Amino acid sequence: MEKKKMSLVTKIMLGLVLGVIVGLLFVSNKEIANTYIKPFGTLFLNLIKMTIVPLVFASLVVGAASIGDVKKLGRIGGKTMLYFFVTTALAILIGLVAANIFKPGVGVSLAGAAAQKATEAPSIIDTFLSIIPTNPIDAMVKGNMLQIIFFAVFSGVAATYIGEKGQAYVKICDSIAEIMYKITEVIMGLAPYGVFALIVPVIASNGPKVLLPLIKVILVCYVAFFLHALLTYSFAVKFWSKISIGQFFKGASPATAIAFSTSSSSGTLPVTLRIVQQVFGVSESIASFVLPLGTTINMDGTAIYQGVCAVFIAQAYGIPLTIGQQVTILLTATLASIGTAGVPGAGFMMLMMVLSSVGLPLEGAALIAGIDRILDMGRTAVNVTGNVSAAIVVGATEGELDYEKATIMGNDKSLKA
Ligand code: ASP
């Protein structure tokens, strides 16, 4: 009997499930998991991260140059931002409603909550000013995504305006981007093992003991994560593109799984970029514009988490939240999710900002700290899936989604993600 080859998606899912099982077996031996298994996960993650800065910069230069005219760029930018804002606001709304219905904080004991310090929200002016890099090389060294985006778009557009002389620059960037995509493809072959090695130590260190006391808040967050993905993204993708809901989730799944196991949307970016173009057929110009931007500012999962946790903490302290305060949470959590970096644990720091905006005790966050990693995995998976949906919607509405090229539309039987 001929053996059927397992697809990469199946292998990654298998790595994830096995990782959870093996992680549970290592709960009482987490040092072994941390010493012998974790390094392989770090190795995999470092390999992906290696490609981020050159990939984002180069593909965005090519993307901006191929869009060329500033007006079109502005329209795409406006559309993208609108999609980000609306989906994030919906995300928090779903989180707030879920937390108000399921009341995860009622009956929680607050003993042992340690003091925490709030992160100051940067002023809007400072945020805007910091988008412009005074030294683009420094921005690349530091991996400052918004600054890299700004410089790449600006220089890409300038390159088209000067015509012939700008072509060499665009060509070099095109070549760099292609090389980075190839590297990502090779690294993706290791994804099943990488995902496994990343997840084992997380589960081993966050075993049932840490999770059980706060199981309700974890469940409410995950219910809200699923609802948002199922309602908002499914609707958007179905409404604006010809991609079915099943195709959407299946096609996005390697990125979702890597986001889940790494808790880093930045770390997942090279994979997301590749999937959006190859699997869904979105043009490079749209993908390279929407995804790096989304990875930096569009964090629906983080917004849900902040909404749920704020209500949870209020309930745990027996502080009733008025509708007005919940609207404040909606607004600050939208801003906080924009300011959250796509790295593990960043959303937790921003949670403090949300709590202080409605005068909730920051000590409450200490309760969340113990389970934050588990929540981080889910919210990062939503963040990344949300960005995939944004690229599809913007691509489809701009006529820059080539269904013929999309492997998920049956053009390539083996889902080469
Ligand atoms: N880890 C999340 C991400 O990378 C951010 C967060 O902590 O909420 O998307």
Side-chain angles (χ1 to χ4, degrees):
M1 206 172 74
E2 201 198 323
K3 244 172 96 194
K4 222 178 130 208
K5 248 186 106 200
M6 213 191 270
S7 78
L8 187 58
V9 178
T10 318
K11 280 192 198 157
I12 294 176
M13 292 303 156
L14 209 63
L16 203 61
V17 174
L18 277 179
V20 172
I21 297 171
V22 174
L24 286 172
L25 296 177
F26 274 114
V27 168
S28 46
N29 273 317
K30 54 174 181 273
E31 291 74 28
I32 298 187
N34 280 326
T35 320
Y36 297 105
I37 301 182
K38 200 175 173 182
F40 290 102
T42 312
L43 178 101
F44 171 69
L45 193 55
N46 286 354
L47 278 171
I48 307 188
K49 282 186 179 164
M50 172 178 84
T51 62
I52 297 177
V53 170
L55 178 56
V56 168
F57 176 74
S59 60
L60 202 48
V61 167
V62 179
S66 63
I67 292 176
D69 89 73
V70 180
K71 245 200 194 147
K72 185 170 176 200
L73 209 59
R75 190 182 64 229
I76 293 171
K79 214 182 255 185
T80 306
M81 295 303 281
L82 187 68
Y83 186 84
F84 288 168
F85 271 116
V86 173
T87 51
T88 305
L90 281 175
I92 309 174
L93 204 62
I94 291 175
L96 287 176
V97 170
N100 279 297
I101 293 177
F102 297 114
K103 305 199 187 328
V106 174
V108 172
S109 123
L110 290 166
Q116 300 278 338
K117 262 174 98 190
T119 317
E120 284 277 317
S123 78
I124 295 198
I125 302 245
D126 284 346
T127 309
F128 269 112
L129 286 180
S130 69
I131 293 176
I132 303 167
T134 47
N135 178 349
I137 307 292
D138 184 54
M140 288 185 211
V141 171
K142 298 206 169 105
N144 184 323
M145 210 55 87
L146 285 182
Q147 295 189 346
I148 297 175
I149 292 173
F150 185 85
F151 184 68
V153 171
F154 214 144
S155 64
V157 172
T160 48
Y161 274 87
I162 56 172
E164 189 65 29
K165 276 195 177 155
Q167 283 316 301
Y169 177 63
V170 179
K171 272 200 184 132
I172 288 177
C173 286
D174 195 22
S175 165
I176 295 176
E178 287 302 322
I179 293 168
M180 294 304 139
Y181 282 124
K182 189 70 207 167
I183 294 180
T184 312
E185 192 182 314
V186 174
I187 300 169
M188 277 302 283
L190 299 173
Y193 313 99
V195 164
F196 172 84
L198 282 163
I199 213 83
V200 170
V202 173
I203 300 293
S205 334
N206 294 277
K209 254 210 222 117
V210 182
L211 305 187
L212 283 182
L214 294 170
I215 194 78
K216 250 179 125 182
V217 73
I218 298 175
L219 285 179
V220 175
C221 276
Y222 274 84
V223 164
F225 291 155
F226 277 110
L227 280 179
H228 183 62
L230 279 177
L231 300 177
T232 315
Y233 302 151
S234 297
F235 172 79
V237 168
K238 186 105 195 70
F239 190 79
W240 278 292
S241 80
K242 287 191 215 153
I243 293 165
S244 75
I245 296 169
Q247 284 167 334
F248 169 67
F249 286 110
K250 185 173 181 211
S253 61
T256 311
I258 292 183
F260 185 79
S261 51
T262 59
S263 290
S264 170
S265 26
S266 290
T268 315
L269 183 57
V271 179
T272 323
L273 270 166
R274 204 175 151 265
I275 283 183
V276 160
Q277 292 174 70
Q278 287 205 347
V279 177
F280 293 112
V282 176
S283 72
E284 179 172 24
S285 53
I286 299 287
S288 63
F289 181 75
V290 175
L291 293 174
L293 197 63
T295 302
T296 324
I297 64 175
N298 184 42
M299 306 242 173
D300 294 356
T302 303
I304 291 175
Y305 150 88
Q306 284 164 344
V308 172
C309 289
V311 176
F312 164 76
I313 289 166
Q315 288 167 348
Y317 278 90
I319 305 169
L321 285 176
T322 62
I323 294 288
Q325 280 174 310
Q326 303 217 23
V327 172
T328 310
I329 292 177
L330 195 140
L331 294 176
T332 40
T334 308
L335 292 178
S337 71
I338 292 173
T340 305
V343 295
F348 179 74
M349 306 311 290
M350 286 296 177
L351 175 64
M352 313 284 179
M353 192 181 112
V354 177
L355 295 180
S356 50
S357 75
V358 281
L360 284 172
L362 299 182
E363 289 78 11
L367 279 175
I368 304 292
I371 52 162
D372 193 60
R373 183 59 196 244
I374 299 295
L375 299 178
D376 203 357
M377 298 194 297
R379 64 183 190 250
T380 310
V382 177
N383 291 345
V384 167
T385 314
N387 287 327
V388 174
S389 80
I392 291 176
V393 168
V394 176
T397 54
E398 281 293 317
E400 301 229 15
L401 199 162
D402 187 347
Y403 294 101
E404 299 282 301
K405 257 179 67 190
T407 55
I408 198 70
M409 303 298 279
N411 299 317
D412 180 344
K413 295 275 179 312
S414 63
L415 180 63
K416 283 194 296 174

